[in-house]
Amino acid sequence: MVRLIDTPSPEQVAMALRALARDMGDPYRMEDDLLARSLGSCARAVLAEAAGQTVGVALFSPFVSTTRGRIGAFVTDLWVDGSQRGGGLGRALLARVRDLVAADWGGSFLRLNHYADNSGAAAFYARLGFHGKPDEIWLTLEGRELAAL
């Protein structure tokens, strides 16, 4: 039986995010104290546990859309352990995010992204009804360029 936890500890969230990074072959660069400060202030997480083991996480923050005239959530990270994939846990985590966003911020949509080469994620999100907007391009400014701004 899988249990969803709406207010997991920063340590639990960090462990799940490290597993996500490992599964994706990505580096994990989040400092524990930064993650701890973020949770509850500008970010939230939902954790999934089964038999005392962490098997999933969704990390999200509020997202204000002036073109929609609504608040939603940006899901920055979604991870389901390989042993739990295909059983509805990813859907359950996103549904819980939806419910928390609605209750806490009056939110009415979810936004996320995935790597272009992650066909499994693309197919999963498409099955749920997520769709892209071809006229939107997301850009990032960081590092030296951000400092120069």
Side-chain angles (χ1 to χ4, degrees):
M1 172 123 184
V2 175
R3 176 174 72 110
L4 298 183
I5 303 168
D6 294 344
T7 54
S9 73
E11 295 79 18
Q12 290 172 302
V13 176
M15 181 182 0
L17 294 175
R18 282 186 182 96
L20 167 62
R22 204 170 35 252
D23 284 359
M24 297 298 297
D26 287 340
Y28 182 80
R29 294 189 177 109
M30 179 63 74
E31 295 178 19
D32 290 343
D33 65 324
L34 178 59
L35 180 62
R37 286 193 321 268
S38 300
L39 292 171
S41 62
C42 63
R44 297 269 319 264
V46 176
L47 194 85
E49 277 189 352
Q53 299 296 313
T54 300
V55 294
V57 70
L59 182 67
F60 61 99
S61 56
F63 184 90
V64 178
S65 173
T66 57
T67 58
R68 286 182 174 79
R70 297 183 282 150
I71 295 173
F74 184 76
V75 180
T76 57
D77 294 286
L78 178 66
W79 170 72
V80 173
D81 183 79
S83 68
Q84 298 289 321
R85 291 190 186 141
L89 182 54
R91 175 188 288 270
L93 284 164
L94 289 172
R96 188 64 189 142
V97 169
R98 174 204 59 209
D99 295 346
L100 291 170
V101 167
D104 294 351
W105 303 316
S108 60
F109 70 93
L110 300 179
R111 176 169 276 183
L112 50 74
N113 61 2
H114 64 82
Y115 289 149
D117 65 351
N118 191 340
S119 59
F124 169 68
Y125 296 133
R127 281 193 307 275
L128 293 179
F130 280 88
H131 58 278
K133 289 187 75 179
D135 57 335
E136 287 185 3
I137 299 171
W138 288 72
L139 305 173
T140 302
L141 184 66
E142 59 188 345
R144 200 173 348 162
E145 295 81 5
L146 179 62
L149 187 68

